[in-house]
Amino acid sequence: MLTTLTTSYTDTRAADLAWALGREPLPALATLDLELSGARLQLRLLGASHQVLLEEPWGTCSETVACIPGSSTPLPLGVAKRVGDWEYEFAARVEVLSPGSFAGRAQELLALVSDHPHGLAGVFPGSPHAFTAMLAQRQEGQVHWRTWHAYPQDGQLVATRTRVVTSVGTTPPAYTGSHSFHACG
């Protein structure tokens, strides 16, 4: 799904992005609700980038990558955490591209994500290449998502990938329907 976001472009540069686990849902400009083999996933485009909310019988997980006022946790290159029955892995990289390469890559990613049933992309007003895009899938008991945050003024594309796994062989607890998000557990 592709949408034009009705907000000013608040992500000024890749270095302003921060990462956080366990934040409560933030106000979203666009969302996509997915049911992936028993996992409920909500992809959320924020005025300041993205948030993913994951609910499974084993628990909930909230990941935020955004310009977070007052945050002192910069975007890490990689994180691997085990919390309870969850394994969480996150990786990020920044690509620096020439203007021509950037435009081509932006068009390619927007086409990929907007045509995918588990994809959500939002273009910021003022530039067709200023966007945030997200794509999710579930494979063999693992939930994966990828995101892209585009900064055309600097030729920077921030790409992230996340994998969440619940312990193999464990029986999930009874689902309570709770919506209190915390650090994957």
Side-chain angles (χ1 to χ4, degrees):
M1 180 171 93
L2 179 63
T3 186
T4 299
L5 301 173
T6 54
T7 187
S8 61
Y9 186 58
T10 56
D11 282 353
T12 56
R13 56 195 176 101
D16 292 338
L17 287 176
W19 166 85
L21 277 179
R23 285 193 166 254
E24 289 294 320
L26 297 171
L29 300 172
T31 62
L32 178 63
D33 292 312
L34 301 170
E35 180 78 31
L36 301 174
S37 301
R40 288 191 281 183
L41 197 66
Q42 185 177 69
L43 306 180
R44 302 168 60 81
L45 296 177
L46 311 176
S49 280
H50 89 257
Q51 187 173 51
V52 176
L53 307 178
L54 170 64
E55 278 188 73
E56 283 197 301
W58 287 271
T60 60
C61 181
S62 161
E63 173 191 276
T64 306
V65 172
C67 297
I68 302 170
S71 176
S72 60
T73 306
L75 190 64
L77 293 178
V79 173
K81 292 185 127 199
R82 180 164 182 87
V83 180
D85 289 332
W86 294 77
E87 290 179 23
Y88 171 90
E89 293 178 7
F90 172 87
R93 74 178 193 287
V94 179
E95 297 177 48
V96 179
L97 304 166
S98 69
S101 294
F102 190 93
R105 183 84 168 120
Q107 290 172 346
E108 174 185 289
L109 287 169
L110 287 172
L112 169 74
V113 173
S114 63
D115 291 341
H116 196 285
H118 301 148
L120 176 63
V123 177
F124 289 90
S127 172
H129 302 134
F131 68 90
T132 298
M134 309 170 73
L135 189 61
Q137 67 179 12
R138 183 175 181 119
Q139 285 183 290
E140 301 172 6
Q142 302 177 13
V143 179
H144 302 257
W145 58 87
R146 297 192 63 188
T147 73
W148 297 270
H149 305 262
Y151 301 92
Q153 71 278 13
D154 298 324
Q156 293 183 323
L157 183 66
V158 177
T160 74
R161 64 176 173 76
T162 301
R163 179 176 75 107
V164 178
V165 183
T166 54
S167 293
V168 177
T170 60
T171 302
Y175 180 67
T176 63
S178 170
H179 293 287
S180 178
F181 290 92
H182 50 289
C184 300

